[in-house]
Amino acid sequence: DVVMTQSPLSLPVTLGQPASISCRSSQSLVYSDGNTYLNWFQQRPGQSPRRLIYKVSNRDSGVPDRFSGSGSGTEFTLKISRVEAEDFGVYYCMQGTHWPWTFGQGTKVEIK
Amino acid sequence: QVQLVESGGGLVKPGGSLRLSCAASGFTFSDSYMNWVRQAPGKGLQWISYISSSGTSIYYADSVKGRFTISRDYAKNSLYLQMNSLRAEDTAVYYCASSPISSPGSFVYWGQGTLVTVSS
């Protein structure tokens, strides 16, 4: 199975400051069709997950542009340019290239 | 708008069975991949099963293979998960998650989840 490793697992952030989460996969996430199926999800307390980013860097409709995704191959990053109160929660990377699809352990973004 | 509504969760004894349902609306069910994803209390997310838009391709996580069966009913726009030989470690919130065929390898829409508790 592809192991997705996120860091850090806990990220204290001050409102208005940037935040960055790293996600590393144990093998390349480039699929045979040339796409890289790396996604980022946000889960606020008590809520279902919500997709923010798909195929590494594509933002979903309604996702603020302070969220951005980057990376390639086995190294990926989610960045929040300026953290707002509504951004606190747990963030997961997830790969949909290799079966079984796998998630990272989650990174808890919390108020500093 | 898109809605995925899970039902069928509850308390079951180890070794017992349960059938989860997910009612889909607001999108073209037959043009969507469907999945079950679970989350144990206080833990992270785990994908457990996938069924293609046509129903011809099915995948399971090793942890549930041979015990769980995914299926879909196009007439009822519904997804199911038959869970047999349940274990304590199957205790989790089970989410139904879908993605249009234009967005493979992902989960675009999520339900609110249904809690399954396996305990004697």
Side-chain angles (χ1 to χ4, degrees):
Chain A
D1 297 3
V2 175
V3 177
M4 304 296 287
T5 304
Q6 290 182 227
S7 63
L9 298 185
S10 177
L11 183 57
V13 186
T14 301
L15 286 173
Q17 293 301 302
S20 179
I21 301 170
S22 171
C23 176
R24 181 174 298 176
S25 59
S26 60
Q27 57 184 277
S28 173
L29 299 186
V30 180
Y31 190 57
S32 54
D33 63 3
N35 288 307
T36 300
Y37 295 106
L38 185 284
N39 306 272
W40 288 97
F41 295 89
Q42 175 195 61
Q43 188 175 31
R44 294 175 176 139
Q47 294 188 12
S48 301
R50 165 200 183 196
R51 193 178 73 173
L52 299 175
I53 303 283
Y54 62 98
K55 287 194 288 186
V56 182
S57 60
N58 295 273
R59 243 185 338 266
D60 271 281
S61 175
V63 174
D65 61 8
R66 63 180 179 273
F67 288 93
S68 64
S70 63
S72 63
T74 62
E75 303 269 350
F76 305 95
T77 303
L78 175 71
K79 291 183 178 176
I80 310 174
S81 58
R82 292 173 308 279
V83 173
E84 298 193 4
E86 65 182 18
D87 301 336
F88 293 101
V90 182
Y91 291 78
Y92 297 91
C93 60
M94 170 258 166
Q95 66 85 17
T97 296
H98 303 284
W99 296 105
W101 293 352
T102 47
F103 288 90
Q105 318 97 300
T107 294
K108 187 173 184 180
V109 175
E110 48 197 357
I111 299 173
K112 194 170 188 178
Chain B
Q1 80 272 24
V2 172
Q3 273 203 307
L4 295 170
V5 181
E6 302 94 336
S7 60
L11 176 63
V12 61
K13 289 181 167 53
S17 298
L18 215 52
R19 189 194 194 206
L20 305 184
S21 300
C22 171
S25 61
F27 63 99
T28 305
F29 185 70
S30 57
D31 286 342
S32 296
Y33 308 124
M34 301 297 296
N35 299 268
W36 290 99
V37 177
R38 70 183 180 184
Q39 186 169 36
K43 302 296 185 182
L45 300 167
Q46 181 191 20
W47 167 84
I48 58 171
S49 188
Y50 160 98
I51 185 167
S52 64
S53 55
S54 64
T56 54
S57 291
I58 287 175
Y59 296 93
Y60 298 99
D62 284 346
S63 57
V64 306
K65 200 175 296 183
R67 300 187 299 122
F68 291 9
T69 303
I70 192 172
S71 62
R72 60 192 299 168
D73 184 330
Y74 297 92
K76 294 182 178 179
N77 278 3
S78 290
L79 176 73
Y80 304 100
L81 187 68
Q82 177 66 43
M83 305 187 296
N84 299 330
S85 304
L86 283 161
R87 307 166 179 165
E89 55 265 34
D90 295 319
T91 294
V93 173
Y94 285 73
Y95 294 101
C96 168
S98 72
S99 182
I101 57 177
S102 58
S103 188
S106 191
F107 315 114
V108 178
Y109 306 113
W110 295 71
Q112 85 288 350
T114 186
L115 176 62
V116 172
T117 303
V118 184
S119 174
S120 54

